[in-house]
Amino acid sequence: MKILVPVKRVVDHNVKIRVKTDGTGVDLANAKMSMNPFDEIAVEQAVRMKEDGEASEVVVVSVGPAQAQEVLRTALAMGADRAILVVAEGRVEPLAVAKILQRVAQAEEAGMIIVGKQAIDDDCNQTGQMLSALLGWSQATFASKIEMSGGSALVTREIDGGLQQIELTLPAVVTADLRLNEPRYASLPNIMKAKKKPLVQQTPNELSVSVAPRLNVLRVEEPAARASGIKVGSVAELLDKLKTEAAVI
Amino acid sequence: MATLLFADHDNASLSEHSARALGAALQIGAEVDILIAGQGAAPAAEAAAALVGVRRVLLAEGDALAERLAEPVAALIVQLSGDYDTILAPATSSGKNVLPRVAALLDVMQVSEVTEVVSPDTFKRPIYAGNAIEVVQSAEAVRVLTVRSASFTPAAAGSAVAPIIAIKPPVAPVLSSFRQNLLSANDRPDLSSARIVVSGGRALGSKERFEATINPLADKLGAAVGASRAAVDAGYAANDFQVGQTGKVVAPDLYIACGISGAIQHLAGMKDSRVIVAINTDGEAPIFQVADYGIVGDIFDIVPQMERAL
Ligand SMILES: Cc1cc2nc3c(=O)[nH]c(=O)nc-3n(C[C@H](O)[C@H](O)[C@H](O)COP(=O)(O)OP(=O)(O)OC[C@H]3O[C@@H](n4cnc5c(N)ncnc54)[C@H](O)[C@@H]3O)c2cc1C
Ligand SMILES: Cc1cc2nc3c(=O)[nH]c(=O)nc-3n(C[C@H](O)[C@H](O)[C@H](O)COP(=O)(O)OP(=O)(O)OC[C@H]3O[C@@H](n4cnc5c(N)ncnc54)[C@H](O)[C@@H]3O)c2cc1C
């Protein structure tokens, strides 16, 4: 079984972003960029499944600018076998990403796609579900465990009230949650080796997908700031403030 | 045209998220139908029918719908979609699981986690863990939205009763099947809708100390218990306790953060709380930047003192 893992290049999770003063977006100039943390978890899962003999090959794919090659190389250093970069500049919405991934999955005849549950920049939490719908495959979102048995996969999902187990017929799309695993760090020798692994480039045009955005971003605003608070010296003072000033208890 | 609200429920009862999503749906202005997909879900449908502002409740029942798996529910919503120009759901694990699938089948882009309805086609939503707010306009034929329940006031339960109409779900191929739910046993208020939340972080050190320190204060206040990702990853609290960018988003009247540093991913889930209290030994911890009241001190000392003094 071939596993496809889409990986997205996003602003590093440690970067505190700033809204541009003209309201046109977020200022990412010179910001450190990394692989979306959920996608690291997805890559780790696929690589472990290959190591356990459950997968034959791990192919990583990114939709983004030329620099997205860096996150693909990171994935290759973690143990993925090959990479595909679908070059697209600017805003590519989840629906277009899902359509691109659909074409790639069909061409690759993938048996499973492991996607991050959400990208930490746009926080859409859509791509995996959309991809599963377009392919007509089974879907398991927010996975914290994947167990393979024959032609199916038992997936434990993190839901609002706790956990849920569902069984998927393959092929399937699974979206990775935080507790699926702890991703490895690529070792130096593996980083060197990754430089020689195959990475091919395609364009959305070649896949007959239009990436024109469907939503119109009118502006991007600064969130409302909280008024600054105070430090209190004792529990008695705190409870008094909560009772009289804030009236919450 | 009208709005279809895919409700969050567990067959036996309707969740508060549904009433809040109805609050958002009514702001759009069109008439609202509520879809209850489930099995043995008449009680949830009756609760939905009693909400003020509902035109009709559509009740679709079947074994495949009992646990609201994404594939059959999405097929059902697509079948109904012709009568609606807005389809929305609360951004709960169920709404987030199903609606993007619907959007893709209808070939439209979804707007996720709406926090404000600006006009029927324009919405605000947070991006970058709430560090920026995007104002987006959807020109799609059908607008598909998930709404963040903490941002909307719930529609009231009234005395008017909307009609409940039984509908037949479409026959869809069975792609996945339900095995079991492992739900956290918990008799405290629901974390996402509680009036007060007491949350613990990595500083709690173990599951035993987490429970011995946080639970008594939460019980005294009638509060829900929350946790940081670090506390959940370390096994001090269950996954459904996680508050943050990738956990639950809460906006209670009072949020008490105990031994939580205040990473942006955690703040994304609680910074819209009305009053925030932080207890931390490190006076420079970022949590104090959003706290209305802070105490620099040891949680193992301060939290029990608070519990005793209440
Ligand atoms: C240069 C640049 C500029 C941008 N400017 C804007 C902007 O101004 N406004 C704006 O809203 N967005 C902008 N984007 C982001 C773009 O719109 C997002 O890729 C798209 O909205 C997807 O949303 P999401 O990542 O939140 O999806 P989600 O559904 O949250 O993503 C879930 C998962 O899907 C997969 N996935 C998603 N996207 C990709 C991808 N591109 N390649 C591979 N796998 C993927 C990953 O596994 C990911 O974990 C920009 C992107 C780039 C590269
Ligand atoms: C992709 C991604 C998603 C994430 N999603 C989330 C999310 O949804 N929710 C979330 O919470 N985090 C999330 N995180 C993790 C986040 O970045 C932080 O690592 C996490 O919130 C830290 O938890 P903490 O504050 O409990 O621990 P720490 O940062 O270790 O803070 C512990 C605090 O306790 C204080 N302390 C220690 N001892 C005591 C004592 N005896 N009394 C009082 N104070 C004490 C310390 O001063 C410190 O400030 C995410 C991270 C990533 C990369």
Side-chain angles (χ1 to χ4, degrees), chain B residues 2-310:
Chain B
T3 297
L4 181 67
L5 162 57
F6 166 53
D8 195 77
H9 65 91
D10 64 0
N11 296 323
S13 62
L14 189 71
S15 91
E16 150 119 348
H17 297 287
S18 303
R20 289 178 178 269
L22 177 58
L26 292 169
Q27 288 184 17
I28 291 170
E31 293 197 281
V32 182
D33 290 349
I34 294 188
L35 171 64
I36 302 284
Q39 178 66 309
E46 281 154 22
L51 293 173
V52 173
V54 181
R55 179 176 68 176
R56 316 180 283 186
V57 173
L58 310 180
L59 174 60
E61 294 187 286
D63 286 339
L65 299 175
E67 296 293 333
R68 284 159 293 286
L69 295 181
E71 303 89 336
V73 175
L76 167 67
I77 296 175
V78 168
Q79 174 187 271
L80 298 170
S81 63
D83 295 335
Y84 300 95
D85 57 8
T86 305
I87 298 174
L88 102 185
T92 56
S93 54
S94 169
K96 291 193 281 202
N97 189 36
V98 170
L99 274 223
R101 198 169 173 103
V102 172
L105 294 172
L106 296 174
D107 193 31
V108 304
M109 241 315 278
Q110 170 179 299
V111 183
S112 297
E113 307 256 351
V114 168
T115 52
E116 190 181 323
V117 176
V118 179
S119 75
D121 68 356
T122 305
F123 311 94
K124 290 194 184 181
R125 58 177 302 265
I127 53 175
Y128 294 93
N131 288 304
I133 309 292
E134 196 175 60
V135 187
V136 284
Q137 186 178 38
S138 167
E140 303 277 20
V142 187
R143 288 173 290 273
V144 177
L145 322 170
T146 62
V147 302
R148 197 171 263 194
S149 15
S151 305
F152 296 93
T153 39
S159 53
V161 177
I164 299 176
I165 297 161
I167 53 167
K168 207 168 158 290
V171 183
V174 178
L175 298 172
S176 62
S177 46
F178 171 75
R179 283 286 164 272
Q180 59 174 331
N181 280 334
L182 306 159
L183 302 182
S184 311
N186 191 341
D187 43 19
R188 291 200 184 78
D190 173 47
L191 174 57
S192 332
S193 53
R195 209 181 63 75
I196 302 180
V197 173
V198 182
S199 275
R202 195 196 309 268
L204 272 305
S206 70
K207 185 173 194 294
E208 293 67 33
R209 292 183 90 189
F210 189 101
E211 287 172 357
T213 312
I214 300 294
N215 292 7
L217 178 61
D219 289 340
K220 211 43 162 296
L221 289 167
V225 173
S228 71
R229 175 190 171 184
V232 174
D233 282 0
Y236 309 163
N239 65 277
D240 48 303
F241 284 42
Q242 183 177 316
V243 171
Q245 180 186 16
T246 57
K248 291 195 172 121
V249 177
V250 302
D253 284 346
L254 174 61
Y255 187 92
I256 306 180
C258 308
I260 292 178
S261 61
I264 50 174
Q265 293 87 3
H266 188 79
L267 300 186
M270 45 65 77
K271 72 176 157 58
D272 292 328
S273 304
R274 190 155 81 74
V275 175
I276 297 173
V277 169
I279 305 161
N280 199 303
T281 42
D282 173 7
E284 301 296 313
I287 190 76
F288 287 119
Q289 289 164 19
V290 299
D292 300 280
Y293 304 107
I295 290 196
V296 179
D298 187 331
I299 42 171
F300 299 111
D301 168 33
I302 304 287
V303 176
Q305 268 194 56
M306 284 175 73
E307 192 260 320
R308 282 193 300 270
L310 278 164

Side-chain angles (χ1 to χ4, degrees), chain A residues 6-8 36 38-39 61-65 90-94 97 101 115-119 121-128 217, chain B residues 134:
Chain A
V7 297
K8 185 179 181 190
N36 182 36
F38 289 96
D39 302 351
V61 46
S62 191
V63 181
R91 226 176 104 218
V92 187
E93 294 172 341
V97 172
L101 296 174
V115 187
K117 87 159 173 181
Q118 80 192 53
D121 48 1
D122 301 287
D123 287 334
C124 281
N125 198 329
Q126 301 178 4
T127 307
V217 178
Chain B
E134 196 175 60

Side-chain angles (χ1 to χ4, degrees), chain A residues 145-167:
Chain A
K145 197 170 183 189
I146 305 174
E147 296 159 276
M148 302 300 293
S149 66
S152 64
L154 183 66
V155 179
T156 306
R157 309 176 52 224
E158 296 202 356
I159 59 169
D160 287 342
L163 300 170
Q164 178 179 74
Q165 284 183 333
I166 61 174
E167 194 172 323

